Amino acid sequence: MSSDPLSHLVIDADGDIPVIARVYEVESAEELRRQDAFDEQPEVPAAPRPEEAQAQVAEVEAPAVPGCEPLEEGGLPFIGKVLSFEPNQSIVVQRTLDLAEDLYLADHAFVQASGVKPLSACMPVLPLTMSLEAIAEVAACLTPGLGLIGFENVKAVRWIEVSDRDSEVMNISAQLQEIDVERHVWRIGVEVRLAGQEMPTTTATVLFSTVYRTDLDFAFGGFSNAYRGDKTGEDIYRERHMFHGPRFHCLTGEILIADEGAVAQLLTRPQDDLFRSLRQPQLLLDPALLDGVGQLIGIWAGEQDRYVLPIGFAKLEIYGATPPPGTLVPIRIEITRDEALTLYADVEVQDGAGGVWMRIRDWGSFKFRYPSQALDFRRHPTRYLLSRGLELPGLPAGAVSHLVSKADVNGFDAMLLARHVLHFDEMPLFVEKGEVPQRQFQWLLGRVAAKDSIRAWLAARSATDGLLHPAALLVANEESGQPVSVPVDGQAAVPRISLSHCEDRAVAIASEQPVGIDIEIVRPREPGFVDSLCTNGERELLSAVCGEDDEAWSEWLSRLWSAKEAAGKLLGQGLNGSPHRIEAITLNGSGSFIVQIQESDRLIGVNSVRDGDFVIAYTTGQRTGMFG
């Protein structure tokens, strides 16, 4: 037997590129493609509805009879409480997603912080494919004796997350749309809504019949520029190029990637640990394996430096029962449209025995891009930082400084970034700041810079390559407003910190001794600003450096302001609304100041550097640095 894991796939006419076997090339599946009389097509088993489920639904009279309790062993896992029921016409089922019951949610959380945060704080999201399972089960209640043969017009408007709580209630309503007598197809329209919300999160038409239909007839072309990816399915999960946990690890072996699409293998997995109370759920689909379709499309998009999330598809046809656990099923995707924000693909999945199991037309995904460093951070927050290190002249040995900009975290919305970075106890303060989104995001960037500085400082002291998870760190504020790093989880020592944010960026510094740092944008200042900032002596110092150069005045006024702020932060007092209480008495052309604290006559050395359109000033309280 060949050692090539893709050798069982049919080779195209050129003889060098494996493609999934066409169904007309498989004798056992020839009838699947025939457009013969309806009664000659393969029969589809009726949807597995145990007698208990049928009895429960039948006993419910619309609209106010109490609904069913969840089924025990062998039940349909998404048939919860029936709110209303009109046989063969309509039904509304309420299903509570629960982190303790729906075990698969732990493997579909966007934030990797296991052991650092509770699961509810890690943004567990209901997969679209699990939504489809729920939709199919509820629709099946209106079609006793029929079997699921596919879906049409699936649209996911927004995801369903179980965040900051342990459960979420969703209402699933199904309505008979049409009975196609000629083709013997029942169409059931289904909508999923979160309780209390008018707009549905997901909509679909579910197709039932007594026989399988074969309306999708793909004509996949050959691949060009095909190559075997440098990562197997196992590598993809181990290196967290997909955020999915083990229950959704269905890609296996080598992956063939080409300009037009990709070929891989999916492994059907056991379904005995998806739900706590159901060891043998009667699933109409294989949601975990179907999720692998989106994963493979995501791998293809990743080769184009894009990240994708599924938004639905035009049609899905099923041609047979789900292959048993442990079956290797080849899959081929072909990209049909690659647009600015969306990506569409046709999909074919084999059954592991040479026939075709399912086809999907126009699987749609929303595209977005992460900077490479941000993507690495998402994959491994204990290996990578979000910010960049700053080389600041004159810092004492061991001090660490980092800067982060909005561009560095492109692709994160504020809440998603917060869930990745903030300690559980910091989240309420972040939410509280949401009334002014710009300031909320600036505050969050400051936490990113501070935590990266702390993490780098701790890693250097421990001489290890690993980093502490940012959400394991707590940055609090003293009564004066000065930020402090708080020891947590047995940390023996934490550094002193200072942070600052301006416009779309933030800086921070971590050191064993007290520090102060500030960042300001360089821009022209109004005369009134000069009066409020500068003493007469400082005007003379600036005039000596800037002369009549307006651009120089813009920069040095920003440097002076930033130097005063940094000194104030070192003292833990800020400027207290009085910039004149901290006065520069010496400066040099390289950006160093000596400032005097008026009420104490204390002298502090402050250095400043230019960074693009910004200046950064920093101090450890010493009169050394660029002055020597």
Side-chain angles (χ1 to χ4, degrees):
M1 179 178 295
S2 171
S3 61
D4 185 348
L6 299 178
S7 63
H8 63 287
L9 300 179
V10 174
I11 305 300
D12 73 355
D14 295 331
D16 59 354
I17 301 175
V19 297
I20 285 188
R22 310 274 15 103
V23 66
Y24 53 78
E25 297 173 308
V26 183
E27 181 177 349
S28 64
E30 280 188 5
E31 275 197 349
L32 198 59
R33 284 183 46 86
R34 293 174 56 192
Q35 302 300 318
D36 293 342
F38 183 83
D39 57 3
E40 294 182 12
Q41 293 182 344
E43 293 186 356
V44 54
R49 300 180 61 227
E51 292 182 1
E52 295 90 340
Q54 296 184 40
Q56 285 175 336
V57 174
E59 289 173 0
V60 177
E61 298 179 2
V65 176
C68 320
E69 295 301 321
L71 300 176
E72 297 181 356
E73 197 79 11
L76 297 171
F78 288 101
I79 301 300
K81 181 179 181 181
V82 179
L83 302 182
S84 67
F85 178 54
E86 183 179 354
N88 307 117
Q89 293 297 318
S90 66
I91 186 171
V92 179
V93 172
Q94 187 173 88
R95 171 60 153 85
T96 299
L97 295 173
D98 188 277
L99 296 180
E101 168 63 21
D102 295 283
L103 303 179
Y104 60 87
L105 288 173
D107 285 350
H108 205 260
F110 281 176
V111 177
Q112 185 192 6
S114 177
V116 177
K117 285 185 170 185
L119 176 58
S120 61
C122 294
M123 204 173 177
V125 174
L126 181 70
L128 172 61
T129 54
M130 279 293 181
S131 297
L132 293 178
E133 173 65 30
I135 285 171
E137 290 182 17
V138 173
C141 295
L142 300 181
T143 56
L146 302 180
L148 175 69
I149 64 169
F151 298 82
E152 291 177 338
N153 301 321
V154 173
K155 295 180 181 179
V157 178
R158 54 161 292 184
W159 56 54
I160 298 175
E161 57 178 287
V162 189
S163 294
D164 303 324
R165 55 197 177 281
D166 294 326
S167 63
E168 179 66 79
V169 177
M170 60 181 185
N171 293 330
I172 309 164
S173 58
Q175 178 83 37
L176 176 65
Q177 287 183 342
E178 176 193 27
I179 299 177
D180 187 335
V181 177
E182 181 179 350
R183 298 170 65 82
H184 291 213
V185 174
W186 277 251
R187 287 180 168 83
I188 310 295
V190 186
E191 294 182 341
V192 180
R193 288 180 174 83
L194 296 180
Q197 294 191 2
E198 294 184 3
M199 295 297 296
T201 64
T202 313
T203 60
T205 298
V206 194
L207 309 181
F208 291 87
S209 185
T210 57
V211 294
Y212 292 116
R213 302 294 312 180
T214 314
D215 298 321
L216 294 180
D217 186 10
F218 295 158
F220 286 147
F223 280 168
S224 61
N225 301 319
Y227 62 94
R228 294 180 187 271
D230 60 353
K231 296 178 177 62
T232 65
E234 290 76 10
D235 295 333
I236 293 294
Y237 299 124
R238 183 174 55 254
E239 299 172 19
R240 284 191 57 82
H241 291 283
M242 293 288 153
F243 68 88
H244 306 72
R247 293 177 180 87
F248 295 93
H249 287 184
C250 49
L251 283 165
T252 184
E254 292 186 298
I255 300 170
L256 184 77
I257 301 171
D259 292 346
E260 298 82 3
V263 169
Q265 293 184 116
L266 302 176
L267 177 67
T268 57
R269 302 189 59 85
Q271 300 174 345
D272 58 358
D273 66 342
L274 297 176
F275 307 92
R276 186 174 299 280
S277 64
L278 286 173
R279 305 303 296 178
Q280 295 178 340
Q282 296 198 44
L283 299 177
L284 307 191
L285 296 167
D286 187 334
L289 187 132
L290 188 58
D291 194 89
V293 174
Q295 295 177 35
L296 182 57
I297 293 172
I299 291 170
W300 185 91
E303 295 292 309
Q304 323 300 318
D305 294 324
R306 293 294 187 273
Y307 197 79
V308 296
L309 287 174
I311 55 176
F313 49 81
K315 188 167 185 175
L316 179 151
E317 287 183 347
I318 301 170
Y319 308 125
T322 300
T327 305
L328 289 174
V329 295
I331 174 176
R332 171 173 173 139
I333 64 168
E334 186 162 297
I335 304 303
T336 56
R337 283 179 287 159
D338 187 2
E339 301 172 349
L341 296 177
T342 51
L343 181 72
Y344 293 90
D346 289 344
V347 182
E348 186 171 273
V349 184
Q350 285 189 355
D351 60 8
V356 175
W357 175 23
M358 70 171 64
R359 289 176 178 156
I360 305 172
R361 169 76 74 191
D362 280 346
W363 177 293
S365 303
F366 180 76
K367 297 194 307 184
F368 48 97
R369 173 178 285 178
Y370 282 113
S372 59
Q373 189 164 334
L375 191 57
D376 286 339
F377 170 80
R378 280 204 64 175
R379 293 193 301 114
H380 289 292
T382 57
R383 296 185 192 174
Y384 297 98
L385 302 170
L386 271 170
S387 59
R388 64 178 172 90
L390 288 175
E391 296 294 333
L392 300 179
L395 282 184
V400 177
S401 182
H402 280 260
L403 178 147
V404 64
S405 70
K406 186 177 181 179
D408 295 324
V409 295
N410 186 36
F412 285 100
D413 66 21
M415 179 58 75
L416 182 58
L417 179 60
R419 293 191 187 284
H420 277 83
V421 171
L422 296 183
H423 188 276
F424 186 74
D425 292 340
E426 293 172 315
M427 286 298 297
L429 182 56
F430 167 78
V431 173
E432 181 183 304
K433 294 178 177 293
E435 293 184 0
V436 185
Q438 182 179 2
R439 292 184 180 179
Q440 181 192 50
F441 196 74
Q442 288 176 333
W443 179 89
L444 180 58
L445 287 180
R447 259 44 187 183
V448 171
K451 293 192 176 193
D452 275 5
S453 297
I454 296 170
R455 294 198 296 152
W457 187 87
L458 290 171
R461 285 175 64 91
S462 63
T464 62
D465 293 332
L467 298 165
L468 194 66
H469 196 293
L473 289 167
L474 177 59
V475 175
N477 290 91
E478 296 181 337
E479 289 187 7
S480 64
Q482 185 175 27
V484 292
S485 52
V486 180
V488 293
D489 297 333
Q491 294 173 22
V494 290
R496 304 288 188 93
I497 60 170
S498 180
L499 63 91
S500 176
H501 49 73
C502 178
E503 301 289 332
D504 66 347
R505 62 194 59 199
V507 293
I509 190 169
S511 176
E512 194 166 3
Q513 61 195 66
V515 287
I517 195 168
D518 188 74
I519 182 171
E520 301 295 342
I521 192 168
V522 176
R523 61 186 176 199
R525 307 291 178 177
E526 298 293 331
F529 175 84
V530 178
D531 294 338
S532 64
L533 177 69
C534 299
T535 64
N536 291 333
E538 289 170 336
R539 283 176 179 271
E540 294 178 1
L541 290 175
L542 294 179
S543 294
V545 173
C546 302
E548 301 296 325
D549 188 335
D550 291 340
E551 290 187 6
W553 273 95
S554 295
E555 176 178 338
W556 280 92
L557 280 169
S558 297
R559 284 182 185 259
L560 175 61
W561 182 18
S562 192
K564 292 189 176 193
E565 290 279 7
K569 291 176 180 181
L570 173 78
L571 300 174
Q573 302 170 354
L575 295 183
N576 286 334
S578 178
H580 290 185
R581 62 180 288 267
I582 299 177
E583 182 179 14
I585 59 173
T586 307
L587 66 83
N588 66 19
S590 61
S592 292
F593 298 81
I594 292 179
V595 301
Q596 183 176 25
I597 312 303
Q598 290 184 347
E599 61 269 24
S600 66
D601 292 332
R602 179 180 175 181
L603 300 179
I604 298 173
V606 184
N607 295 334
S608 68
V609 295
R610 181 77 181 257
D611 188 87
D613 293 333
F614 293 80
V615 293
I616 301 168
Y618 54 98
T619 178
T620 58
Q622 306 300 312
R623 291 178 55 187
T624 58
M626 296 181 186
F627 284 102

